[in-house]
Amino acid sequence: MPRPGSRDGDPVEHYDVIIVGTGAGGGTLAHTLAPSRKRVLLLERGDFLPRELANWDPGPVFVDGKYISPDTWYDADGKPFQPQVHYFVGGATKMYGAALYRLRPEDFGELKHADGVSPAWPLGYDDFEPWYTRAEWLYQVHGAHGEDPTEGHWSRQYPWPAVSHEPRVQQISDALASGGYHPFHAPCGILLDEANRPASICIRCATCDGYPCLVHAKSDAETIAVRPLLDQPNVTLLVNAEVEQLETDPGGGSVTGVVVTRNGQREVYAGDIVVVAAGAVNSARILLRSASDQHPAGLANGSDQVGRNYMFHNSKAVVALDKERNDTVFQKTLALNDFYFAGDGREWPLGNIQMLGKSNAMAMKGEEPKLTKLAPRWSLDETARHAVDFWLTTEDVPKPENRVTVDRDGHVRLAYAATNDEEATGLYHELRKILNHVGMADHHVLDKNFYMSMNVPLAGCAHQAGTCRFGTDPASSVLDVNCKAHELDNLYVIDTSFFPSIGAVNPALTAMANAIRVGEHLVSRMA
Ligand SMILES: Cc1cc2nc3c(=O)[nH]c(=O)nc-3n(C[C@H](O)[C@H](O)[C@H](O)COP(=O)(O)OP(=O)(O)OC[C@H]3O[C@@H](n4cnc5c(N)ncnc54)[C@H](O)[C@@H]3O)c2cc1C
């Protein structure tokens, strides 16, 4: 185990690459770099998420918010709130639903929306396709390429067949198909072998979405990417190591020190290459807090773009109440992209519909404490038994005024106003229409506050992205096409910050694919 960093300011331990954060971006990058034998240091603000029965218990998870990290951010008016962040090895993927979608090819181009333009990426779908394939195989994704008419070309089928629908979901799928829709099997990152059940780690329970997995059967960044590296001599992971800021050489062209608070002590680490992957908000915070004489507006921020263009999807969780009992356990196997784009009488793209982890009484209590306060447990149980849950995702377009800044004390300030409400409402109406095809009257629909009673628009930052977008023009982007900061020769940012737009599907696979892409670039650079 290498010596820890200096405590008096001079870095003593030098690495080839330092990675800040171990989530979808950072963890996947470490996994890509490890075989190169280069010395990699992973700095993670959190610790390992404890494996305990509470992992699968909706009471601690949804009612108590046990795994939401204590952090306070402030809105544009300075009002404090607790963001839904998860500082653990594996980052947000410890709680994610492992729905691992590719963006559509059109998402890489310019798309017109009700509230503005979703800009083109500097690379196209074809550039990303090989990396998507690598990510799908690394993260053991189950799915069926070829079913969804909106998907792009694929060079290799998923490593696992799609997770089979349970009977009620199969009925819904069949009814949608006979109504002229194009339902498809949702891509799921789980360690499940349906053909050989005894060999399977995943027990196909109801707690994939929003819960940590007690048996490590969810393909999260800890399980898939970081844990397998722990015994590798060239990889060091330090937990409870919060990166505060980055220091540069006198000219400001290279990062020379990574300043960390670990166990209450200040330490400094040095690496030839420094990669920030702390999540879109925290990565911007680190760069903005690293302002210096050479970078007065924050590191890599000559363009004034760091922290801007924050996006997180205009999402809605919806519970439809079925006349029949819905005994589905693993519900998130079905999705629909029929409304993803404009056309067929739709003026605007509307987004993606997918099924969500199954509601239960405790989760409902956590999500809607006021509404459910007086409801007896039996009535909630009964409601949950009839619940069919959907997740609607509409693209959020980047706006420069939706931005992360830091105050004098280094706290995050998040100014944000949602975009594309008109499209999100349109998608909701489409869902209500299709419910008529699947035996659920459209008036039996409840809004489901997936994010409990918290300030949903701001605190529900699960799909945070933007803030350090990549591009070819240093005046309008922070990073170049390899996700290296335009203004520094050894600083990279590879979490969802790099997204110039977010599309309308879940973001993690794109972060993973990009981390592999940038990882291979770094291996070549270091060679
Ligand atoms: C409940 C939930 C459900 C979700 N479901 C899905 C889904 O089904 N499909 C999907 O595609 N996406 C889903 N997401 C989103 C997905 O998890 C994120 O898009 C993805 O993890 C983002 O990757 P990242 O690398 O940008 O950040 P993260 O994965 O969050 O990683 C950031 C890491 O940086 C660490 N860190 C932060 N600050 C510092 C610091 N100062 N110093 C050191 N370390 C630091 C954090 O602890 C964390 O480990 C979900 C998220 C949540 C919360």
Side-chain angles (χ1 to χ4, degrees), residues 20-26 43-46 84 86-101 209-211 221 241-244 277-280 282-283 285-286 332 354 450-451 461-464 494-497 505-509 511:
V20 181
T22 58
L43 295 168
E44 169 52 52
R45 175 181 186 157
Q84 297 251 316
H86 307 90
Y87 299 141
F88 293 107
V89 175
T93 70
K94 287 308 295 173
M95 308 298 286
Y96 81 162
L100 291 176
Y101 287 81
D209 217 351
Y211 298 78
E242 181 180 351
V243 172
E244 304 284 355
N282 279 304
S283 288
R285 175 176 183 246
I286 291 169
K332 39 191 285 90
Q354 58 190 273
F450 190 64
Y451 292 109
C461 52
H463 289 191
Q464 58 184 274
I494 53 104
D495 49 36
T496 53
S497 314
V505 287
N506 317 46
L509 187 76

Side-chain angles (χ1 to χ4, degrees), residues 65 91 241 406 449 521:
V406 289
N449 181 358
H521 157 75

Side-chain angles (χ1 to χ4, degrees), residues 184-197:
F184 61 95
H185 286 88
C188 299
I190 51 176
L191 304 179
L192 171 72
D193 184 351
E194 288 191 277
N196 190 11
R197 277 294 172 95

Side-chain angles (χ1 to χ4, degrees), residues 297-319:
L299 200 56
N301 196 22
S303 61
D304 189 29
Q305 292 298 306
V306 172
R308 292 191 185 272
N309 304 303
Y310 174 84
M311 302 166 275
F312 71 77
H313 279 146
N314 195 329
S315 295
K316 199 173 185 57
V318 175
V319 177

Side-chain angles (χ1 to χ4, degrees), residues 49-61:
L49 193 146
R51 295 172 81 170
E52 55 195 6
L53 285 177
N55 291 172
W56 280 347
D57 188 337
V61 174

